[in-house]
Each structure stands twice: as C-alpha cells, then as structure tokens.
Amino acid sequence: MDAGRLTAASGALWNSLKALDTTATTDALRGIEGEAAAQYFSVFDDLILQQKNSFYFRGRNRRPPTDNVNALLSFVYVLLARECASALESVGLDPYVGFLHTARPGRASLAMDLLEELRAPVADRFVLGLINLRQVSDKGFERQDSGAVYLTDAQRKVVLTARQAHKQEVITHPYLGEKVEW
C-alpha cells in the first residue's frame, strides 16, 4: 500500500472539507464534492489488497459497470439507496425531495443525498471487505458482449447474505460511545 498516495489524498479531502465553510452556492458545493470524489476514487485501487488480477479499480463507471469492482459498487449502492429511502419514509420524510440531487421523476433524491454520507463507511468499506476477504471471486461475474459486467445470481446471493450479516455486526459509535448495529 502506498502510504504517501493515501496521505496526499487524505490531505486533499481535508482541504475540500475546509473549503465547504466558504462555499456560497449549491453549484460551488457540487464542484467541491466532484473534486473530492475524484481524489477519493484516485486511491481506491490502493485499498484492494487481494485478487488484484480480477479486482482492480481504474475509475468509477456505471450504467453499465464495465469491471468487477464497479459491478459490486453499483449493486451495493442500489441496496443502500433503497435502505435510505425506506429509512426516510419510516420517519415521515419524502425520499423524493432532495437538496443536492436535483428532482427527477422516479428518483429518490433525498435518499441519494443521504447515500452520499454513507457511501464510504458503509458501502465502499463493505465492498473492499468482500474482495479482500475473498468472499467474492471472478467466477461470480458475467461479461456481456457490450462490455457490461454483472453479478451472477449466485454472486448476488453471496453479497446479500454477507450484507445482512454485516448489518448485524455491533460497533461502538464513534461519537456517542454506544454499541450499535451497522
């Protein structure tokens, strides 16, 4: 693992956080978020420590994903987006009325706003764990003639089972100091 690259990216992310204090418009905020996402994803491949021949990250791609890592990320992001929408509805909030994600018919914009906060600690960390703990393998992906890569039914089952088990894990909340499930 290249600690220098990770430290530099972490510093750039910290600078992005500080820049938010002086941001006056939503478009400027989105610009900072875009730059931070580019920094974050620039070192994502460095966090993949196992199965490097089958699992590598050259950049985020979707609709359709074109490699194993992006296929996993897309699948887990859909799961998390649905969980966010359900959580919002359960407390009486409309998941379709967002702040940063623009309103589009059929898109749960507020759920997508919430997903942004949970993407790294919940979804990305989970996907990296699946790969690095060898819970998924290259055999669990289908490659289409178009270049699209999708999880097989068996691989989806592995991911869903692991996700349910992960949600039951108990951690100590970093701010409250209380034991909570993911």
Side-chain angles (χ1 to χ4, degrees):
M1 190 179 306
D2 187 342
R5 278 177 40 87
L6 293 172
T7 300
S10 178
L13 290 171
W14 180 251
N15 290 336
S16 294
L17 279 174
K18 290 191 297 188
L20 294 176
D21 291 338
T22 59
T23 303
T25 67
T26 304
D27 284 339
L29 176 68
R30 288 184 184 121
I32 292 169
E33 188 272 336
E35 291 170 12
Q39 281 294 325
Y40 173 79
F41 282 121
S42 75
V43 294
F44 197 81
D45 190 61
D46 293 311
L47 303 174
I48 299 171
L49 307 175
Q50 303 292 324
Q51 308 184 79
K52 292 293 277 187
N53 289 335
S54 301
F55 294 93
Y56 49 83
F57 188 81
R58 304 292 179 259
R60 184 75 180 108
N61 59 67
R62 57 192 190 281
R63 295 188 197 112
T66 59
D67 60 63
N68 294 351
V69 175
N70 277 292
L72 280 169
L73 289 172
S74 291
F75 183 67
V76 173
Y77 290 166
V78 167
L79 296 175
L80 184 57
R82 301 220 182 215
E83 291 170 355
C84 289
S86 292
L88 291 165
E89 288 176 350
S90 73
V91 295
L93 295 174
D94 184 349
Y96 294 90
V97 181
F99 294 96
L100 297 176
H101 286 84
T102 56
R104 287 189 197 156
R107 178 161 92 175
S109 296
L110 185 57
M112 300 307 291
D113 289 349
L114 185 57
L115 176 118
E116 293 296 339
E117 296 298 318
L118 301 172
R119 183 183 306 265
V122 176
D124 297 352
R125 182 176 182 221
F126 173 71
V127 166
L128 288 167
L130 289 173
I131 296 166
N132 290 331
L133 295 172
R134 299 177 183 268
Q135 292 177 287
V136 292
S137 72
D138 186 50
K139 294 178 184 139
F141 295 88
E142 296 175 343
R143 282 147 190 79
Q144 308 284 312
D145 290 338
S146 65
V149 176
Y150 298 107
L151 283 74
T152 63
D153 289 342
Q155 188 87 298
R156 277 193 295 276
K157 184 177 180 181
V158 167
V159 172
L160 290 170
T161 301
R163 179 82 178 109
Q164 287 304 107
H166 183 260
K167 290 190 319 187
Q168 302 302 316
E169 289 177 16
V170 176
I171 62 168
T172 301
H173 191 282
Y175 299 111
L176 302 176
E178 297 176 5
K179 302 274 186 199
V180 295
E181 291 178 352
W182 267 109

